[in-house]
Amino acid sequence: MSQQDGFTRRSFVGGTGLLLGACTAPGALGGAGERKPDVRLTIAPQKIELAPGISYETFTYNDQVPGPILRLPKGRNAIVEVTNLLQTPELVHWHGLEIPSNVDGAEEEGTPPVPPLQTRRYEFAPTPGGAHWYHTHMIADKALMFGAYSGLFGFIIVEGDDPGAYDQEVCVAIHHWGSRWVPGQTLRPNDPKHGFEVGFDYGTMNGRLMGHDAPVRVRQGQRVLFRMLNASATEISWISLAGHTLRVVAMDGYPVPTPCEIDVLMMGPGERADVIVEMNNPGKWILGSTDDKERERGMGMIIEYAGATGAPQWTPVKRTWSFQRFAGARAVPEPDERIELTIGRIPGGPGGYNMWTINGKSWPETDRIHVEKGKRYRIVYNNQTDLGHPMHLHRHHFEVVRWDKEYCPGLMKDTINVKPFTTAELDFVAHNPGPTLIHCHQAKHQDYGMMALMLYEGDVEPKVDHTAMHRAITEAYCREG
Ligand SMILES: [Cu+2]
């Protein structure tokens, strides 16, 4: 296991105290000066326990998975101090926030990374309100313990817009562990040209296998707000709570125009949903994946009413999904321009890696998208592949005009799963100048080409040495081969 020897916590802790003191950069960005940081995040290797006897070496924020829940008031300047104890640079991306490019957390947008064994400060005013998240924006490339596959994710709740009355709030982040490359034909026997796919050993809610964390304790009559986040690198998740319906009140932090009750929630990587549950059915119940195999591999948590006894119950549920039921009725204005983005795949073949394309090209060769401040644009995704792609737009939100055949006016999001062989039409107003990434939030699609850069008039594209970035990660984390 030489791959793991290098990144146990012990091998770092000894020498870093002094280094950190010497390297702390004063007010690296935004002239933060000496003000005490509102948030301190330390990125470090850590062994986490998914259940007794099942541990993983991963990377964490503040030694925990998920990272700490950050609560910051909307619109008030916050200073975030990030210390990086890894041997590769790191970046914290603020997914869902509409903040400047130089703090958003992507090198391709111009945010300076935190070099190994250094500390850097970032200053920004979080907006909009609601449940968003932070995560690493480093690519993993072939190293499936790194980047989005690691424990580097957590909630940020931007306070100011309340999703309605509730008695208890429970934040739930989904993730998968033990990701590894598996031959494409193992998972897709009818597709002889498909390259490597990613498989995983375990799925978790809040970093613990089902039954190995304290249950969520509730009382009859309570209204519980579950803030759900799919922080998986690769998997679209279907979630239900046995014995209860889920009232979706917000998605990606935005209140939905029509809150409504559903039995099952679909979330692609990067998507969030605020769900209120009326606790009106006493017992012990499973909140978990509707996929039996995934649930057996840990994806679930137990909801326990006061005084309940016996084993936690599960109820099978049919997977159906529609965005339209949450939409409003407004007439969506015509956009000033359309941005047509066709999604494709170049099969890697046995022993190879699939490449993913936007308009026929893979990042960093994808065409730059040029926009003008103040204009309304309609992104038209045309997914010509047989997989779903959770497409994310940084630093902006969009209105879901059409999702396949569904018209969804008024539904605001920043990430949406575009189904296989369908189109999605998403309107956004170009209101936040600065280089902006558009990418698939499925990590292996993003890492293998599905990313593009949007530039406003006057924006200068940041210089990024992509070859050096890939080489550093390969050298650090792919020692076995
Ligand atoms: Cu994708």
Side-chain angles (χ1 to χ4, degrees):
M1 297 302 282
S2 65
Q3 208 173 39
Q4 298 199 346
D5 291 343
F7 64 100
T8 60
R9 185 73 201 270
R10 285 183 301 283
S11 48
F12 287 81
V13 169
T16 49
L18 210 148
L19 258 174
L20 283 174
C23 292
T24 302
L29 280 173
E34 295 306 308
R35 202 179 117 194
K36 192 170 154 282
D38 300 272
V39 172
R40 280 199 173 96
L41 293 175
T42 299
I43 300 164
Q46 182 60 272
K47 193 182 220 175
I48 61 154
E49 192 184 60
L50 305 184
I54 302 174
S55 304
Y56 268 96
E57 301 275 1
T58 187
F59 307 110
T60 57
Y61 295 116
N62 298 2
D63 292 335
Q64 65 184 83
V65 174
I69 298 170
L70 309 179
R71 294 178 196 275
L72 295 173
K74 182 166 104 174
R76 196 176 84 192
N77 259 26
I79 295 172
V80 178
E81 194 176 272
V82 183
T83 296
N84 176 17
L85 301 184
L86 307 191
Q87 48 189 310
T88 43
E90 265 301 324
L91 280 155
V92 182
H93 168 51
W94 304 92
H95 185 133
L97 300 192
E98 307 199 336
I99 55 180
S101 296
N102 68 343
V103 290
D104 187 50
E107 202 172 359
E108 297 85 353
E109 296 177 334
T111 306
V114 193
L117 303 182
Q118 290 199 30
T119 295
R120 209 183 256 278
R121 283 180 162 212
Y122 304 87
E123 183 175 0
F124 54 84
T127 185
H132 306 294
W133 66 302
Y134 61 99
H135 62 81
T136 179
H137 217 274
M138 297 299 292
I139 54 162
D141 200 322
K142 293 185 176 57
L144 297 187
M145 82 294 278
F146 191 59
Y149 301 90
S150 75
L152 292 173
F153 59 88
F155 276 93
I156 174 169
I157 311 292
V158 179
E159 295 178 324
D161 301 316
D162 210 300
Y166 55 89
D167 304 303
Q168 189 183 165
E169 178 196 44
V170 182
C171 291
V172 180
I174 287 166
H175 197 65
H176 292 88
W177 304 94
S179 294
R180 63 202 130 65
W181 296 107
V182 294
Q185 288 68 45
T186 315
L187 299 175
R188 304 159 65 95
N190 300 325
D191 190 354
K193 286 191 184 155
H194 201 73
F196 279 117
E197 268 295 335
V198 171
F200 57 88
D201 294 329
Y202 298 106
T204 57
M205 289 180 166
N206 293 344
R208 294 286 281 182
L209 300 188
M210 182 162 62
H212 294 285
D213 205 356
V216 174
R217 294 179 202 283
V218 301
R219 285 192 313 278
Q220 187 163 12
Q222 268 191 332
R223 289 157 58 90
V224 178
L225 169 65
F226 289 94
R227 296 195 190 264
M228 306 296 300
L229 158 67
N230 186 345
S232 175
T234 55
E235 304 303 311
I236 293 166
S237 283
W238 295 76
I239 302 295
S240 88
L241 171 54
H244 297 77
T245 53
L246 311 170
R247 183 175 175 80
V248 176
V249 293
M251 284 184 181
D252 296 0
Y254 294 88
V256 298
T258 312
C260 90
E261 300 209 341
I262 59 171
D263 292 324
V264 59
L265 178 68
M266 180 194 76
M267 282 197 302
E271 290 185 285
R272 290 89 70 205
D274 283 349
V275 167
I276 288 181
V277 179
E278 303 273 351
M279 290 298 164
N280 53 12
N281 194 2
K284 277 193 208 173
W285 302 99
I286 292 172
L287 171 73
S289 168
T290 63
D291 180 323
D292 294 341
K293 285 206 183 85
E294 195 180 32
R295 217 169 53 254
E296 282 158 20
R297 287 189 279 179
M299 179 65 76
M301 64 200 314
I302 293 160
I303 313 299
E304 186 177 316
Y305 282 70
T309 54
Q313 303 294 307
W314 175 252
T315 324
V317 60
K318 191 164 162 263
R319 289 182 176 189
T320 56
W321 185 254
S322 153
F323 277 111
Q324 195 163 32
R325 56 197 160 179
F326 308 108
R330 83 183 204 121
V332 175
E334 277 305 299
D336 297 299
E337 285 181 41
R338 289 161 70 93
I339 300 169
E340 312 266 353
L341 301 176
T342 296
I343 297 166
R345 177 191 69 150
I346 302 171
Y353 297 85
N354 305 306
M355 292 299 292
W356 300 88
T357 59
I358 297 176
N359 292 348
K361 296 174 188 168
S362 294
W363 179 261
E365 273 77 43
T366 42
D367 295 331
R368 301 303 182 255
I369 297 163
H370 296 279
V371 296
E372 279 175 52
K373 192 181 178 196
K375 281 192 174 176
R376 183 180 178 91
Y377 292 88
R378 180 160 300 166
I379 297 177
V380 182
Y381 285 116
N382 179 353
N383 181 1
Q384 296 190 343
T385 76
D386 59 357
L387 288 174
H389 297 286
M391 301 305 301
H392 174 40
L393 174 61
H394 281 224
R395 308 180 57 248
H396 297 72
H397 61 283
F398 49 76
E399 181 171 2
V400 184
V401 179
R402 272 192 189 77
W403 185 74
D404 192 9
K405 292 176 181 61
E406 300 186 355
Y407 180 57
C408 307
L411 187 66
M412 303 296 180
K413 289 179 77 30
D414 58 53
T415 309
I416 192 164
N417 180 34
V418 183
K419 289 188 289 184
F421 300 117
T422 68
T423 58
E425 299 184 10
L426 313 171
D427 279 17
F428 73 94
V429 175
H431 72 98
N432 194 10
T436 300
L437 282 179
I438 297 181
H439 65 83
C440 181
H441 223 282
Q442 215 281 17
K444 72 181 186 299
H445 301 170
Q446 177 184 4
D447 288 1
Y448 286 81
M450 253 181 102
M451 187 156 84
L453 187 68
M454 186 165 94
L455 295 165
Y456 281 74
E457 282 182 302
D459 283 350
V460 177
E461 180 172 337
K463 282 196 170 53
V464 179
D465 188 338
H466 303 280
T467 313
M469 194 193 281
H470 283 257
R471 194 190 308 125
I473 291 160
T474 304
E475 284 174 2
Y477 306 111
C478 295
R479 287 170 210 158
E480 285 174 329

